[in-house]
Amino acid sequence: MVGQVPGFLVTLASVRIGPIEVANVPGVVADSDAPEFGLVLVGASFLARVQLEQHGNRLTLIPTK
């Protein structure tokens, strides 16, 4: 557990996952050397712009039109 970590608000010009690309995505860059922050995390600001379908233990992202 890390606790509070300083961060910087940013706007990512685009985020692409496979064939899905979303422009102008708000995000946070954590100012920490903690190993947990070396992982890539897709946040709600991206996920709110795609459709999600769950089938069993698989979650599929579908581009919105």
Side-chain angles (χ1 to χ4, degrees):
M1 188 65 79
V2 175
Q4 291 185 351
V5 174
F8 303 93
L9 294 174
V10 298
T11 299
L12 303 168
S14 68
V15 175
R16 180 185 305 229
I17 297 178
I20 301 173
E21 185 171 14
V22 177
N24 301 317
V25 180
V28 174
V29 176
D31 185 15
S32 173
D33 292 330
E36 304 85 278
F37 291 105
L39 303 173
V40 175
L41 175 66
V42 176
S45 58
F46 175 87
L47 294 174
R49 299 187 195 184
V50 299
Q51 292 180 334
L52 304 173
E53 282 188 3
Q54 182 175 355
H55 300 282
N57 64 354
R58 179 175 288 211
L59 185 63
T60 303
L61 304 179
I62 300 167
T64 55
K65 298 185 189 232

